[in-house]
Amino acid sequence: MIVVPFCSLLLAVMASHFVLGPIGWKIGSAISSVVYAGITGSFKVVFGAVFGFVYAPLVITGLHHMSNAIDLQLIADYGGTMLWPMIALSNIAQGSAVLGMIILQRKDAAAQEVNVPAGISCYLGVTEPAIFGVNLKQGFPFVCGMIGSAIAAVVCVATSTTANAIGVGGLPGILSIQPAYMLSFALCMLIAIVIPLVLTIIIGKKKLAVSEETKVPVELAEIAAGAGKNAAAGVVASMEREKADKPKELKAFLAGKVIPLKEVNDGVFSEGVMGDGLAIIPENEILYSPADAEVTVLMEDSRHACGLKLSNDMELLLHIGIDTVAMNGDGFEYLVSLGQKVKAGEPLIRFDRKKIQEAGHPDVTVCIVTEEGEAKNIQFRTGMNAAEKKTTIVTFE
């Protein structure tokens, strides 16, 4: 009972040390050599532009985590990494795009509740709240951030800016830069701040202006004068029906215990960075729509989350599990498509709880109100066991 397991463990350790270890080291060295050649070679500017442009989309898929291993190998082989500075610049660029939205939506108190904390966390190196909570919702801020990141990355590799270590992203990323390159990195930071900010404001003014122009106000007095009292009465009746059709509640999207966000034990969700909401510890394996809505966001690679927009302009993010983006879609299946109109209780995602648990992730599923829209006095009901599609978990006016 003791000797056999011990011998097996000893053999496994020896095999890892003398066989797998050297093989893994050789593979890692080969990858780092290729990356290093790309960063320092004749086409390093092209490499920097491409990496700076695509890094933010990699964050959406979770593939950005692989860059950490490459950074560590570069540090081991060459005494520093030129990849990490570009990652920090991408964080800053997305944060600057959010800053642009803060300026554009300065009169929108509801939007600022999401914009401000998301921008702060992004500048400190945590980009997910900014990307999912702000930039992807409008689309153009995300692209503006990518453009700014690409330009900053070009300057970064052109000046051979190198970091001693990884781990500090965003504005504090300058602390990880080798002293000889701090000035060049400061210039890159300025580029990553100014370009996305200016582009977001310029494009946003046109985009938001067009959006406002499409909202045609209905004045009952003008209708009555132009089309008579019957027409006005018809419009009133239509408006009353529309008002009656506005959603007033959200039903349970899963069966299980409903808990407050603070009990989720995740920094982004628990602190309400992306918005207020609640969570359910699931007892079933199908995520249902909590209300009539349109599917506005899908993560095609990871399939672990989706965004919904209700007729009152309320926007929701339903996110299955914690850090499940790292599973790359294994155990998740979309049952809807982007732009599809769904009814309350309609299946959205099928997921495998066993696979989530085997991957070492909690399967607690959160529902975040990322945009309140016209909803007022939102009340979250927690501390109870909910029946999927039946129990009311959120009410609003």
Side-chain angles (χ1 to χ4, degrees):
M1 292 176 64
I2 298 176
V3 175
V4 173
F6 176 77
C7 292
S8 299
L9 178 61
L10 182 61
L11 289 172
V13 171
M14 292 176 65
S16 298
H17 184 71
F18 293 106
V19 180
L20 299 179
I23 293 175
W25 181 267
K26 291 292 183 183
I27 295 173
S29 296
I31 295 174
S32 67
S33 298
V34 172
V35 174
Y36 186 78
I39 296 176
T40 60
S42 303
F43 298 97
K44 62 182 182 181
V45 172
V46 177
F47 180 91
V50 172
F51 184 84
F53 190 77
V54 304
Y55 183 77
L58 289 178
V59 174
I60 298 175
T61 64
L63 294 176
H64 64 297
H65 292 296
M66 68 180 182
S67 64
N68 292 338
I70 299 174
D71 276 314
L72 293 174
Q73 194 68 49
L74 287 171
I75 293 170
D77 292 342
Y78 304 103
T81 172
M82 287 190 284
L83 203 63
W84 181 256
M86 291 190 288
I87 294 173
L89 291 172
S90 179
N91 300 155
I92 296 171
Q94 290 297 322
S96 298
V98 176
L99 180 58
M101 293 304 299
I102 291 174
I103 295 173
L104 290 170
Q105 298 179 313
R106 57 188 177 277
K107 296 182 180 180
D108 189 337
Q112 297 296 62
E113 290 180 3
V114 177
N115 294 347
V116 174
I120 294 173
S121 66
C122 198
Y123 273 144
L124 296 177
V126 181
T127 56
E128 284 82 357
I131 290 176
F132 293 113
V134 182
N135 293 348
L136 279 178
K137 285 167 60 178
Q138 296 288 346
F140 68 88
F142 185 65
V143 177
C144 292
M146 292 168 62
I147 294 171
S149 173
I151 297 173
V154 168
V155 178
C156 190
V157 296
T159 55
S160 301
T161 301
T162 306
N164 282 317
I166 66 173
V168 182
L171 294 175
I174 196 170
L175 300 176
S176 65
I177 304 300
Q178 294 180 357
Y181 299 106
M182 282 190 173
L183 186 59
S184 62
F185 186 74
L187 173 62
C188 296
M189 289 172 63
L190 183 61
I191 294 171
I193 292 172
V194 173
I195 292 180
L197 174 62
V198 173
L199 286 177
T200 300
I201 292 176
I202 292 174
I203 298 174
K205 283 183 177 179
K206 296 180 180 179
K207 291 275 188 180
L208 298 179
V210 171
S211 176
E212 288 297 323
E213 288 174 2
T214 58
K215 296 179 181 179
V216 181
V218 179
E219 297 290 342
L220 294 184
E222 293 182 4
I223 295 176
K229 295 182 179 180
N230 291 336
V235 171
V236 171
S238 176
M239 292 179 65
E240 290 297 328
R241 287 194 300 271
E242 182 181 353
K243 184 178 180 180
D245 291 339
K246 293 291 185 181
K248 298 295 183 183
E249 62 183 15
L250 301 181
K251 296 293 187 180
F253 45 89
L254 288 167
K257 184 177 180 180
V258 187
I259 62 173
L261 280 186
K262 63 182 179 181
E263 296 182 15
V264 172
N265 295 324
D266 174 83
V268 174
F269 293 131
S270 301
E271 298 302 322
V273 173
M274 297 183 67
D276 206 354
L278 46 71
I280 295 180
I281 301 174
E283 296 176 356
N284 61 312
E285 297 185 329
I286 293 182
L287 181 74
Y288 296 99
S289 178
D292 294 354
E294 178 184 353
V295 180
T296 54
V297 177
L298 293 179
M299 311 297 177
E300 294 296 346
D301 292 321
S302 57
R303 301 187 291 277
H304 72 297
C306 70
L308 300 176
K309 185 172 184 178
L310 281 60
S311 60
N312 64 350
D313 291 332
M314 175 185 281
E315 297 182 22
L316 308 175
L317 172 66
L318 296 168
H319 189 288
I320 302 172
I322 304 300
D323 295 329
T324 45
V325 65
M327 295 176 65
N328 297 318
D330 184 28
F332 298 88
E333 177 189 359
Y334 275 135
L335 304 177
V336 291
S337 56
L338 192 63
Q340 179 177 336
K341 300 291 179 64
V342 295
K343 294 291 186 180
E346 190 168 338
L348 301 174
I349 305 175
R350 180 181 289 112
F351 60 98
D352 191 323
R353 294 177 60 205
K354 184 177 180 181
K355 283 190 175 182
I356 295 174
Q357 292 164 2
E358 289 176 348
H361 304 298
D363 59 5
V364 60
T365 299
V366 302
C367 175
I368 303 294
V369 179
T370 56
E371 184 66 53
E372 293 184 359
E374 300 173 7
K376 305 294 182 184
N377 192 28
I378 302 176
Q379 302 292 323
F380 299 95
R381 300 181 178 181
T382 59
M384 61 181 177
N385 288 319
E388 73 275 26
K389 303 187 290 183
K390 296 180 180 179
T391 306
T392 299
I393 56 174
V394 182
T395 60
F396 44 86
E397 299 174 359

